[in-house]
Amino acid sequence: MKIIETSTGEKRLVDILPVEIDEFKTFKKERYFFDWKKEKHQEVYKLQIKGMSDVFGLVSIERIPEEWRIHIRLLTVSKENKGKEKKYDKIIGNLMAFVAKIALREFGELACVSLRPKSQIARHYMETYNMNLTGLTLSMEIPQILALINLYDND
Amino acid sequence: MTENTKDKLDTEFGVDSRYSSEKERKSDAAALMEARLRRMKNLSKEKITKAKLMQLKLRMDEYIKHPAHDNHSNFLEFLKSYIDTLYSKRSDFARDIAVTSVSLSQVINKHREPKEEFLLKLMIHSEKVYAGFCAFPKEIWYQVYYHEKICNTMSNQKEWRPEIEKDIRVSAVL
């Protein structure tokens, strides 16, 4: 999986790894938008460029096996990777594809990844990831999951 | 608008999608499940097969990254899953890779180890099946098979070590 350095167009290989409990205090709200310490009892992953320690993205998930579903609780990029001036592109996409892989590995053809955005960003996720809208919940199921994994595994 | 609010309206910064109550979660889950079941009915057989094959590849990837040190045969479990996803009769797979049904059955039922040629045929068959829809490393069956060998050998030392070790001497001077 790779992210793209926007200034050069260069692709950089990434690792997505579990966050250790003592790392949460380093994820400040000023750079990662949320109070990530509140997620320290959840399953949280960080995105880093291979061989480097700086964290460019975070995702917190909840596995709901009885519904064959993984719910994304919280998802973010680091501040310098947001908006038009971002340093690296495709961070959110890589994190979404990573979660989609866990869902597919665990639940096969029944897999589902869900999101419940509180603000008006639902449309962005529907358009970018072709997510379905049910009430206030966005979901990716097999057709979207396969497409997303293939897109980010083969880039 | 404050800087913080502007940040949070930016579509690319991320999303806070935590449920605010158990009631909200339950009500969303019920509606979502109903909609998903409706959509699942329209899922083609081809998509289901592709999903199962990609799931198998991800499970193999995971096993290679975190091999279990137990006596469970992951290789055979993956092999059975691969065959049963693609064929309604295992003998059809045997025919496609030019082995006899008897020898396939012996491998699957742990009555014999797969020969090198069997692994090569399995590798080529998988390459053809996965081509065009999913990246499938050609070495993956080998990796699973030999990871399992290593894990089983290491975890079964109590069984094989005493008999083997009694014949081992080190006469070389260090």
Side-chain angles (χ1 to χ4, degrees):
Chain A
M1 296 172 104
K2 294 169 193 147
I3 56 173
I4 299 169
E5 190 166 7
T6 52
S7 60
T8 60
E10 199 182 323
K11 290 181 177 178
R12 309 288 295 269
L13 276 171
V14 294
D15 279 327
I16 300 178
L17 303 166
V19 170
E20 304 292 334
I21 198 93
D22 57 354
E23 286 181 282
F24 282 94
K25 60 180 181 291
T26 65
F27 302 140
K28 306 286 185 209
K29 202 169 177 178
E30 300 79 57
R31 190 170 178 216
Y32 299 101
F33 301 99
F34 304 105
D35 184 358
W36 282 89
K37 287 199 287 295
K38 286 185 180 165
E39 295 299 295
K40 68 180 174 189
H41 299 300
Q42 305 296 332
E43 189 175 344
V44 181
Y45 295 92
K46 59 185 176 183
L47 181 146
Q48 298 168 311
I49 290 177
K50 225 172 224 315
M52 294 172 77
S53 59
D54 201 10
V55 172
F56 293 146
L58 290 163
V59 63
S60 167
I61 62 169
E62 179 186 356
R63 297 181 193 225
I64 312 174
E66 63 276 20
E67 295 175 35
W68 319 296
R69 170 162 75 107
I70 292 188
H71 185 68
I72 295 179
R73 293 170 50 83
L74 209 51
L75 172 69
T76 197
V77 295
S78 56
K79 193 160 190 170
E80 72 280 8
N81 290 305
K82 175 187 82 71
K84 288 182 184 144
E85 303 298 315
K86 68 179 130 184
K87 286 175 75 178
Y88 291 98
D89 197 12
K90 308 279 184 204
I91 295 171
I92 293 284
N94 272 283
L95 289 169
M96 296 276 288
F98 175 78
V99 177
K101 280 184 179 182
I102 299 176
L104 183 56
R105 193 180 70 221
E106 295 296 310
F107 309 125
E109 73 272 27
L110 304 172
C112 173
V113 175
S114 63
L115 267 176
R116 195 184 195 276
K118 290 189 175 67
S119 59
Q120 54 268 63
I121 60 174
R123 181 148 300 281
H124 168 75
Y125 283 87
M126 285 167 70
E127 286 168 1
T128 309
Y129 303 104
N130 199 20
M131 294 182 93
N132 300 303
L133 179 65
T134 308
L136 295 173
T137 306
L138 296 174
S139 64
M140 271 196 285
E141 289 138 37
I142 282 305
Q144 300 85 19
I145 285 175
L146 293 180
L148 185 66
I149 294 175
N150 274 327
L151 183 66
Y152 281 86
D153 260 1
N154 296 325
D155 61 356
Chain B
M1 195 182 288
T2 65
E3 186 59 32
N4 203 277
T5 313
K6 269 192 257 167
D7 282 342
K8 293 199 172 185
L9 289 178
D10 187 305
T11 54
E12 293 181 72
F13 89 100
V15 59
D16 181 355
S17 153
R18 291 170 288 194
Y19 293 109
S20 54
S21 68
E22 197 51 33
K23 190 180 163 197
E24 182 179 276
R25 167 208 286 274
K26 280 186 179 157
S27 136
D28 275 19
L32 178 61
M33 184 56 83
E34 200 182 314
R36 283 170 62 198
L37 291 172
R38 254 196 329 269
R39 287 191 286 267
M40 273 181 211
K41 282 183 191 155
N42 298 323
L43 206 55
S44 68
K45 196 167 174 258
E46 184 200 349
K47 276 271 188 298
I48 293 172
T49 302
K50 284 183 175 178
K52 286 181 175 175
L53 288 171
M54 199 182 274
Q55 178 188 28
L56 175 65
K57 183 218 157 190
L58 293 170
R59 288 176 59 212
M60 289 165 85
D61 278 343
E62 185 66 12
Y63 174 71
I64 292 163
K65 277 186 215 151
H66 307 287
H69 288 256
D70 56 25
N71 284 325
H72 184 69
S73 183
N74 291 278
F75 174 80
L76 289 182
E77 193 197 309
F78 295 145
L79 176 62
K80 283 188 271 190
S81 174
Y82 178 69
I83 299 169
D84 295 344
T85 297
L86 293 166
Y87 296 88
S88 51
K89 286 189 285 180
R90 288 179 181 168
S91 56
D92 289 342
F93 172 70
R95 193 195 56 227
D96 278 1
I97 62 163
V99 300
T100 65
S101 298
V102 174
S103 68
L104 176 64
S105 171
Q106 286 174 331
V107 168
I108 285 175
N109 293 307
K110 278 178 119 171
H111 295 145
R112 69 191 280 183
E113 289 287 315
K115 288 182 182 168
E116 176 82 10
E117 190 183 340
F118 180 88
L119 290 170
L120 292 172
K121 286 177 171 178
L122 178 59
M123 181 177 86
I124 292 171
H125 189 276
S126 312
E127 260 178 46
K128 291 178 189 288
V129 164
Y130 280 87
F133 90 92
C134 167
F136 188 82
K138 58 179 74 173
E139 64 276 13
I140 199 163
W141 286 109
Y142 272 89
Q143 286 177 320
V144 168
Y145 182 73
Y146 285 109
H147 264 69
E148 188 167 290
K149 282 258 165 242
I150 294 166
C151 290
N152 288 350
T153 304
M154 292 303 119
S155 63
N156 289 336
Q157 287 192 58
K158 276 186 188 161
E159 286 164 32
W160 59 261
R161 182 175 277 275
E163 183 61 25
I164 300 288
E165 198 163 34
K166 70 179 168 48
D167 294 330
I168 306 300
R169 306 268 182 282
V170 178
S171 60
V173 179
L174 297 175

